[in-house]
Amino acid sequence: MPECPVCSGGDPAREVRLGRREILHTEGEAADAMYAVQQGFLRETRETPSGKLQAVRLVFPGDIVGTEALVRAEYQSNVEAVTASRLCRLPIDLVRDTVLRESSRALALSEALCRHEIALRDSTLLLGSMTAEERVMSFIHRVTSGTVPGCWTDLPLTRQDLGDFLGLALGTVSRTLHRLARAGALEVDGRRVRLPRG
Amino acid sequence: MPECPVCSGGDPAREVRLGRREILHTEGEAADAMYAVQQGFLRETRETPSGKLQAVRLVFPGDIVGTEALVRAEYQSNVEAVTASRLCRLPIDLVRDTVLRESSRALALSEALCRHEIALRDSTLLLGSMTAEERVMSFIHRVTSGTVPGCWTDLPLTRQDLGDFLGLALGTVSRTLHRLARAGALEVDGRRVRLPRG
DNA sequence: CGGTATCTTGAATTTCCTCAAAAAGCGTGG
DNA sequence: CCACGCTTTTTGAGGAAATTCAAGATACCG
């Protein structure tokens, strides 16, 4: 997976750094750039008309945020750093130029967008048709894939954060984690989790 | 919105026609092409481990399905025609060639993918944080946008189909529609709906 | 007209939420 | 090192929302 599908990196003028909980952009703000994530991880959130928060996507290095800038005048979601992060700012005109000029970058961008589509489809399935237990297990599997099986994974997310992702209330997340742990489906220790190796 | 972001159309060899309820591809099938929708509308579905069906996206003309072929060896979802449809088959090698050769097509593809991302994010919000009433209203707004306000819109979807999209049981859809109708938020007549003009 | 699919509606049940209180963790400053 | 305040987590009780199951009503099609 490329570190940044559009820029070649190394231009410090376009580098953006965010601390934990710092906000990159919010819904409705004028959208003039997308951002390639180089380090750290972030979350994309939205708010319902009735004010409830929904986390839409967990964003990893190699992902892009703010892609709607390519087709909309305003951002459609809030992006917030979950851990300290380093991003590369890609003004939308630059993206258009790059895509029109360097075709291999164009392909890389399309591929990144396809991966987003796959990730969002997974979320849709999780939120639309899974029970609380299935949601939690599915989420844990997603975040632990790519780590050594059977080792502890540290989630820098509170129970509330998890609930925002899973479409569950804080209490339900806590209860479900413990029910699953009692059943042996996983181990929990504060914000660390571990799947039984198998 | 372009009719087909990648092909220039007109090549009858790549045309695919589907009748109502006919299936284009299923989860796990070898993925060697994406398809640009030219006429009709389709739905993209997935199944949970426990066998429940979830409709992920309502696909309109101008949209693309099967984009995961660009980054995965197998399709990740089922695509089924809701109404009789005409698509243009885009073998994945052709897409890569076209993107690498014709940069304006590359841009059009990326833009289509960004629109998909926006639509899927909307679904995520709907499924994760909305009540049954909010889901139904939100869905009706989505499908009636683009039509004359205050006129009847025909949905070729059963109550079960609606439930698949909204993450609700058949009965809940029926009840909710009638509750909303009684409250004056919309009018229902079988599979036709109408929003009060305003 | 009969047959099939779809839709409505009800009753009982499950799942998850809300609200709230208590427990645990964590960092800071004394 | 301990005490303090603050945030997060656990846990409980009660209630709301949606589900399941099922029976009956309606519409559609040949």
Side-chain angles (χ1 to χ4, degrees), chain B residues 26-80:
Chain B
T26 57
E27 281 182 73
E29 228 178 279
D32 58 351
M34 44 177 84
Y35 297 82
V37 179
Q38 299 184 323
Q39 270 180 19
F41 80 101
L42 304 92
R43 65 174 197 173
E44 206 172 328
T45 65
R46 296 198 55 189
E47 250 179 72
T48 50
S50 45
K52 257 182 292 186
L53 187 81
Q54 175 65 46
V56 164
R57 189 163 65 108
L58 196 47
V59 182
F60 295 98
D63 289 339
I64 309 176
V65 295
T67 57
E68 61 262 44
L70 199 55
V71 291
R72 293 280 194 282
E74 299 177 354
Y75 291 116
Q76 314 275 308
S77 63
N78 312 295
V79 173
E80 175 193 320

Side-chain angles (χ1 to χ4, degrees), chain A residues 5-149:
Chain A
V6 175
C7 75
S8 37
D11 182 347
R14 297 214 309 276
E15 189 179 287
V16 176
R17 283 172 184 276
L18 297 175
R20 176 166 169 89
R21 299 290 177 199
E22 219 174 322
I23 286 168
L24 180 64
H25 66 237
T26 57
E27 281 182 74
E29 227 178 279
D32 57 351
M34 45 177 85
Y35 297 84
V37 180
Q38 298 182 325
Q39 270 179 19
F41 80 102
L42 304 92
R43 64 174 197 172
E44 206 172 329
T45 66
R46 296 197 57 188
E47 248 179 74
T48 51
S50 46
K52 255 180 294 185
L53 187 82
Q54 175 65 46
V56 164
R57 191 163 65 109
L58 196 47
V59 181
F60 295 97
D63 288 340
I64 310 176
V65 295
T67 55
E68 60 263 44
L70 198 55
V71 291
R72 293 280 194 282
E74 300 177 352
Y75 290 115
Q76 315 277 309
S77 64
N78 313 295
V79 173
E80 174 194 323
V82 171
T83 64
S85 304
R86 186 163 55 81
L87 319 185
C88 175
R89 178 184 160 84
L90 307 167
I92 203 63
D93 296 338
L94 173 70
V95 173
R96 284 214 180 80
D97 283 359
T98 305
V99 165
L100 292 176
R101 195 164 307 150
E102 298 179 55
S103 49
S104 67
R105 293 271 168 73
L107 187 56
L109 175 63
S110 293
E111 288 173 352
L113 293 171
C114 288
R115 278 190 292 268
H116 292 185
E117 200 169 320
I118 291 172
L120 283 170
R121 226 156 30 192
D122 287 345
S123 296
T124 303
L125 187 65
L126 184 148
L127 294 168
S129 306
M130 291 192 189
T131 64
E133 296 198 355
E134 290 171 325
R135 292 183 201 194
V136 169
M137 287 308 294
S138 177
F139 188 85
I140 301 295
H141 273 121
R142 237 196 274 180
V143 295
T144 57
S145 82
T147 68
V148 182

Side-chain angles (χ1 to χ4, degrees), chain B residues 84-95:
Chain B
S85 304
R86 186 164 55 83
L87 318 185
C88 175
R89 177 183 161 85
L90 308 166
I92 204 61
D93 296 337
L94 174 69
V95 173

Side-chain angles (χ1 to χ4, degrees), chain B residues 132 168-169 172:
Chain B
L168 299 173
T172 307

